[in-house]
Amino acid sequence: MNVLTSHSTHDAQEDMRNRDIKIYLNGDLVHRDEAKVSVYDSGFMLGDGMWEGMRLYHGKWAFFEEHMDRFFNSCKAVSLDVGLDKEGIREALAATAEANGMTHDVHCRLMLTRGVKAKPFQHPGLSRSGPTLVIIMEHSKPVETLQSKGIRLATVPQVRGLPMSQDAKYNSHSKLNCVIACLQAEQAGADEALMLDPHGFVNTTNACNFFIVRRGEVWTSSGDYCMNGVTRQKVIDLCRNNDIPVFEKNYTLYEAYGADEAFLTGTFGAQTPVASIDGKAIGSGENPVTRRIRALYKGLIQENIREQGGQI
Ligand SMILES: Cc1ncc(COP(=O)(O)O)c(C=O)c1O
């Protein structure tokens, strides 16, 4: 049985096989206990790197193109030379999956940093020996309780910043803004943090995008201060294609507390229902719209896997 000391949207079922996985580290595949990066690495020292979370089903990476678009865009924006093209990344992923005998229900964290620095200081020019590329792949299925119990959110003082400080669209190694928010939520007795934007509108959670359902309409933030989540966009597209009214707009806690349903989106857990916000129960807990979107999303993944030649 899974003991819920901490309940988060990223709780995975225990899988003993993960104790002996091989990690991709700059072209080598090494046991997880031996997979080490330098203390001079810019990722360790400064959080100077970008990452992507993806899922493998039936031997294919779901929404691979969308994840690569975001990853390469982020790297370009911070002048981080990936050193490989999209197909090179695909090959590195394939080598890691093969070394681990993984084909299905797998989650990967693909991480690229500016690499080892010549001196322990901030200047990016001190990273002179090329980037560090790491791929961690685990057998991974979300725990059942995420669907049955939902997530308890607390609104926190930590907000999402303006794009000219650190744009929330960077999936950067440094997630301190989100980590602080998560700590504040835990201190308030909740599972995760609901974060507002600088104007006080409801924005996102510390690790997922956030949606509410009101009278059959699906609402999410304008998108200006949150991660440009792949799952977020897929949910918006699915709503549009299936006659579910969907709006990207500003709204406040007043409307969130009074929602009929609320759910989180992310690659790991797809759509996870929200049980409460600041101790206030959300809706009846039946979540018919969330369940419909979840079923549509499952179908979309299968379609995407088939398009890539995967056998379901
Ligand atoms: C802060 C934050 N929000 C949302 C997401 C969800 O994005 P996606 O749907 O692409 O997994 C992530 C995932 O990396 C994230 O870090």
Side-chain angles (χ1 to χ4, degrees), residues 13 131 212 261:
Q13 291 173 21
I212 60 172
E261 303 174 35

Side-chain angles (χ1 to χ4, degrees), residues 51 67 70 160 171 175 178 205-209 227 229-232 265-267:
W51 64 278
H67 282 285
R70 182 171 65 187
R160 282 307 170 115
N171 216 1
K175 287 275 175 185
C178 302
T205 75
N206 58 284
C208 292
N209 292 112
M227 171 64 58
V230 171
T231 324
R232 174 185 189 274
T265 65
T267 294

Side-chain angles (χ1 to χ4, degrees), residues 274-293:
V274 172
S276 63
I277 304 173
D278 298 332
K280 300 175 211 308
I282 300 301
S284 66
E286 286 183 22
N287 300 323
V289 178
T290 308
R291 281 192 280 115
R292 180 168 175 220
I293 290 172

